[in-house]
Amino acid sequence: ILSIKRRLQAFLRRTPQSHCELLISNALKFWLFMSHWILKNCFTCLVCLCFFSGLLNFLLQQPRVLRFFNGSNSTMAQVSSAATMTSAGVRMPKLIYGTAWKKERSADLVYNALVTGFRGIDTACQPKHYREDLVGQGIARAMKDKSIKREDLFIQTKFTSLAGQDPAAIPYDRNAPLAEQVRQSFNRSLENLQTAYVDSLVLHSPMPTVSETMEIYRVFETFHASGSAKQLGISNIYSLDALAAIFKAASVKPAVVQNRFYQQTGYDKDIRRFCKDNNIRYQSFWSLTANPHLLASNALKSVAKRLNITPEQAMYKLLMSLGITPLDGTTNSEHMKEDLAVLSLPELTAQEVEAFSSLTGGMV
């Protein structure tokens, strides 16, 4: 009885009080009240209470029931509120919805992601691979229809240099000085996303030299000083020396690094260790697509079997257990629900995490 009481109290503390959630919460509060009263005043009912308590405790431990209580079938998907605090003091969700290559579907997919429970959105001012304008439309529609507050969202965008742009669709003046290109791109991002600020501004990839990279980053720092970019970061950086040089030169230290997580770079073991040592949050993309061998590994399959979850869910859970924030680019509504349910899963054992980490370069 005490065990189930603790579980229900923890559930009530994290459950948003709205719609059907309010009804469920009130029912559970009534159960807690009655169990307390019976324990004190009515010993003859104790046997019945123990029976139903045992049954409810058993049900609460079943993965499918856990997924229901934590969002896979209702707006209780606010498990996505599970977040980490970055070094910049920004609340960053542990699972972020990625919007690359969504094209004309971007608005609807972002809307669906937010309605399902995602609260982190990653995009870029790069028409070649992102429809940032449609991402903004999806965010605006979800905020209007579902009364989602801007302060509850984590919006991350990127500046992409000329080398990464489609020559036919550059979102700034290609002939302008580099610093001006950065300013024009950022202003376009704010316009596209229909917001006065972004929570995270990331350099899409470093320039050929640290000096050129820092020229961009210095402009980023002015955005941070004005409050229009709450934190700064860098993506697609696979040289530890370059990252260390940027970190040393920066006045506003990068709070995030976003890289492709795959075997060819040794899963960024050294970079992830640097991030850990310097309080930088490591975000991963291509986490599923680039790693079919990890999805098929015994280390991952054993976690999936024990928790009765899909291999993809197990992958996200294992990444989070390593301190990694994955980007999730699914276009399937059911997969969105399943992925968000990962945030409510119990902690993995040290042996499970170590077995997986041995496949990704070892613990950092």
Side-chain angles (χ1 to χ4, degrees):
I1 293 171
L2 293 175
S3 172
I4 191 173
K5 185 174 181 178
R6 286 192 297 268
R7 292 170 65 85
L8 289 177
Q9 287 173 331
F11 166 74
L12 290 171
R13 283 195 296 270
R14 70 172 183 266
T15 301
Q17 302 297 294
S18 61
H19 306 300
C20 62
E21 288 94 328
L22 184 61
L23 179 62
I24 295 173
S25 295
N26 286 336
L28 294 178
K29 288 176 183 177
F30 178 74
W31 185 93
L32 289 171
F33 170 78
M34 288 301 298
S35 63
H36 180 73
W37 185 87
I38 289 172
L39 284 173
K40 291 184 66 177
N41 301 292
C42 188
F43 182 78
T44 57
C45 296
L46 186 57
V47 174
C48 292
L49 180 63
C50 287
F51 173 79
F52 286 111
S53 296
L55 178 61
L56 188 53
N57 195 42
F58 171 78
L59 290 173
L60 284 173
Q61 294 182 56
Q62 304 311 300
R64 290 185 180 181
V65 177
L66 283 171
R67 286 197 291 271
F68 170 78
F69 277 114
N70 288 289
S72 62
N73 292 306
S74 76
T75 57
M76 291 167 83
Q78 277 79 353
V79 285
S80 61
S81 63
T84 184
M85 192 67 70
T86 71
S87 60
V90 173
R91 197 166 181 271
M92 185 176 76
K94 293 181 179 179
L95 187 64
I96 297 172
Y97 188 68
T99 62
W101 307 297
K102 304 296 190 291
K103 299 182 179 181
E104 288 74 16
R105 300 179 63 194
S106 295
D108 288 340
L109 288 170
V110 167
Y111 178 84
N112 289 341
L114 292 173
V115 169
T116 304
F118 280 91
R119 289 297 177 266
I121 300 293
D122 173 85
T123 187
C125 192
Q126 184 197 31
K128 182 178 180 180
H129 295 310
Y130 296 82
R131 284 297 304 272
E132 191 182 44
D133 57 330
L134 297 183
V135 170
Q137 291 178 24
I139 292 172
R141 180 151 56 100
M143 290 175 65
K144 180 180 178 181
D145 292 353
K146 301 300 178 181
S147 299
I148 298 172
K149 296 179 181 179
R150 172 64 183 89
E151 56 265 29
D152 293 332
L153 297 178
F154 173 88
I155 300 177
Q156 176 171 275
T157 192
K158 311 179 194 76
F159 166 76
T160 308
S161 66
L162 284 172
Q165 299 284 1
D166 179 352
I170 299 172
Y172 47 79
D173 182 359
R174 65 181 304 158
N175 297 315
L178 182 56
E180 180 59 24
Q181 291 177 2
V182 177
R183 284 188 284 268
Q184 290 180 12
S185 176
F186 185 62
N187 288 335
R188 176 68 64 86
S189 288
L190 295 180
E191 179 182 341
N192 285 341
L193 296 169
Q194 304 179 44
T195 183
Y197 69 93
V198 295
D199 300 276
S200 186
L201 177 60
V202 174
L203 176 56
H204 214 154
S205 61
M207 300 294 281
T209 67
V210 172
S211 177
E212 290 175 289
T213 299
M214 289 310 301
E215 184 178 355
I216 295 173
Y217 200 86
R218 294 300 182 208
V219 183
F220 277 22
E221 290 178 330
T222 67
F223 301 148
H224 180 269
S226 70
S228 53
K230 302 299 183 183
Q231 71 179 24
L232 308 179
I234 188 165
S235 181
N236 292 296
I237 184 161
Y238 302 100
S239 165
L240 178 58
D241 289 342
L243 177 59
I246 293 167
F247 185 85
K248 182 178 180 180
S251 298
V252 179
K253 303 302 182 184
V256 293
V257 162
Q258 184 190 108
N259 274 359
R260 181 177 298 175
F261 187 76
Y262 68 145
Q263 198 169 25
Q264 287 88 324
T265 58
Y267 295 104
D268 277 348
K269 180 181 178 181
D270 292 338
I271 286 178
R272 287 191 289 123
R273 180 181 291 115
F274 181 88
C275 288
K276 182 178 180 180
D277 291 343
N278 292 281
N279 201 16
I280 302 172
R281 294 293 177 176
Y282 181 92
Q283 299 176 358
S284 68
F285 66 91
W286 250 39
S287 308
L288 300 182
T289 307
N291 296 296
H293 59 292
L294 292 181
L295 290 168
S297 67
N298 289 332
L300 190 143
K301 285 182 177 179
S302 65
V303 171
K305 181 178 180 181
R306 181 175 73 82
L307 297 178
N308 190 25
I309 57 178
T310 68
E312 291 78 11
Q313 287 176 299
M315 180 72 163
Y316 284 140
K317 181 63 179 178
L318 284 160
L319 289 175
M320 292 176 195
S321 297
L322 292 178
I324 295 172
T325 300
L327 267 64
D328 185 343
T330 184
T331 59
N332 184 292
S333 296
E334 288 305 311
H335 291 167
M336 289 181 185
K337 296 174 184 177
E338 290 176 351
D339 296 345
L340 287 171
V342 171
L343 297 166
S344 68
L345 293 172
E347 293 302 313
L348 303 180
T349 67
Q351 292 78 10
E352 289 171 330
V353 176
E354 288 173 5
F356 179 75
S357 70
S358 69
L359 304 176
T360 59
M363 299 292 288
V364 299

